[in-house]
Amino acid sequence: LNSDIRLRNESDGLVLNGDIYGDSIAYEGNYIGNESADFVYLPKQNDRHIASLLLSHNGNEYLDLQGDYDNGNINGRAILSKLPLRVINSFIKESNLNIDGYIDGNVTLDGPLETANSNGYIQFDSVYVDAPMLGSQMRLVNDKVNIEESKIKFNDFKIYAKGNTPFKVNGDIDVSHFAQPTFDLRMQASNYELINAERQRNSLIYGKLFLDINSYITGAIQALKVYGNATVLGNTN
């Protein structure tokens, strides 16, 4: 770890700025990469505070966070630029899952700190989840997911597996209380080819699996209700 941090005391309070750089960071022996953070904190008069944070992975900036806190109200913006999801693989090595792709986005936050209103979007870029033991790979469509009045909106958001028939997600996730999101989602698919894989040495499931799915997720994260049905179709082997 390398760092260069500067502090100085001014009339409005303590000013802080600098950077922290981690060279060849790893988690339990799994390589993550070179990570860096650049930050600035500026106190202003009348209980106002300004802060910014810039995060980079292997020299590429992926998060630009700017915020202004004034007497209990926050006004901020987060810009995501090719946030690399493959970093997650270093933390889930034992799951035998492989995640790749990027997330872009632009999200604003405005209002009282505890109930601030968020708007903007996130966009998936070449995102997939590979599960070799199940012989399946899930691919997320490269669409924008809008955030309106602190609700993440899904409108026929498509997830593909082996075939050309999508798994569709509709509804929203309410993140007005960020630590306690509330779900109201419906997930449907018709003749969905979830698995199409030859037998391998480490295969848990192989062959072909086709499903009709009609399911729901509702409620707060602490007490989620998941219900619906999945029908295994006759072309399954």
Side-chain angles (χ1 to χ4, degrees):
L1 286 175
N2 306 284
S3 65
D4 180 9
I5 302 173
R6 302 177 182 86
L7 301 95
R8 65 180 184 274
N9 201 9
E10 296 191 351
S11 58
D12 294 325
L14 189 67
V15 175
L16 173 68
N17 71 290
D19 61 78
I20 299 174
Y21 175 76
D23 186 357
S24 302
I25 298 293
Y27 174 75
E28 293 189 350
N30 302 314
Y31 180 75
I32 298 174
N34 302 323
E35 310 299 323
S36 65
D38 294 85
F39 53 88
V40 176
Y41 166 72
L42 300 172
K44 295 294 183 180
Q45 293 180 347
N46 302 321
D47 196 31
R48 186 184 175 204
H49 308 266
I50 297 174
S52 68
L53 175 66
L54 186 65
L55 299 181
S56 300
H57 171 73
N58 290 339
N60 299 312
E61 299 174 0
Y62 66 85
L63 175 62
D64 184 356
L65 186 64
Q66 308 283 336
D68 186 334
Y69 178 81
D70 189 1
N71 288 310
N73 292 304
I74 189 169
N75 183 285
R77 178 184 295 274
I79 299 175
L80 291 169
S81 301
K82 286 197 173 296
L83 170 66
L85 296 180
R86 67 174 64 95
V87 171
I88 298 173
N89 295 326
S90 300
F91 300 95
I92 60 171
K93 206 74 172 180
E94 294 181 357
S95 70
N96 290 316
L97 294 176
N98 184 39
I99 302 173
D100 205 354
Y102 304 91
I103 294 180
D104 298 309
N106 192 324
V107 181
T108 61
L109 194 65
D110 185 61
L113 183 60
E114 294 183 356
T115 58
N117 201 26
S118 57
N119 291 278
Y121 72 90
I122 55 176
Q123 181 160 10
F124 298 94
D125 180 0
S126 306
V127 175
Y128 72 82
V129 180
D130 191 17
M133 288 185 66
L134 300 179
S136 183
Q137 183 183 95
M138 311 294 286
R139 176 175 55 87
L140 279 63
V141 70
N142 294 346
D143 273 354
K144 281 185 179 180
V145 176
N146 291 320
I147 302 172
E148 302 173 5
E149 302 294 324
S150 297
K151 289 186 176 182
I152 303 174
K153 301 278 190 176
F154 293 90
N155 183 17
D156 272 353
F157 184 77
K158 299 177 181 66
I159 302 173
Y160 290 89
K162 290 294 186 177
N164 296 320
T165 304
F167 180 87
K168 295 181 181 180
V169 182
N170 285 282
D172 59 63
I173 303 174
D174 189 335
V175 292
S176 53
H177 297 281
F178 193 75
Q180 299 177 338
T182 301
F183 292 73
D184 184 13
L185 298 175
R186 182 177 184 181
M187 296 162 292
Q188 295 175 300
S190 178
N191 198 30
Y192 189 60
E193 189 177 10
L194 179 62
I195 295 172
N196 185 342
E198 296 182 357
R199 184 173 186 174
Q200 303 291 335
R201 187 175 61 178
N202 63 341
S203 294
L204 181 65
I205 296 175
Y206 56 92
K208 295 182 179 182
L209 174 61
F210 293 84
L211 299 170
D212 282 349
I213 301 170
N214 186 25
S215 58
Y216 301 83
I217 296 179
T218 63
I221 187 70
Q222 298 88 347
L224 277 181
K225 295 180 180 179
V226 182
Y227 57 98
N229 60 72
T231 304
V232 179
L233 302 181
N235 47 353
T236 293
N237 179 18

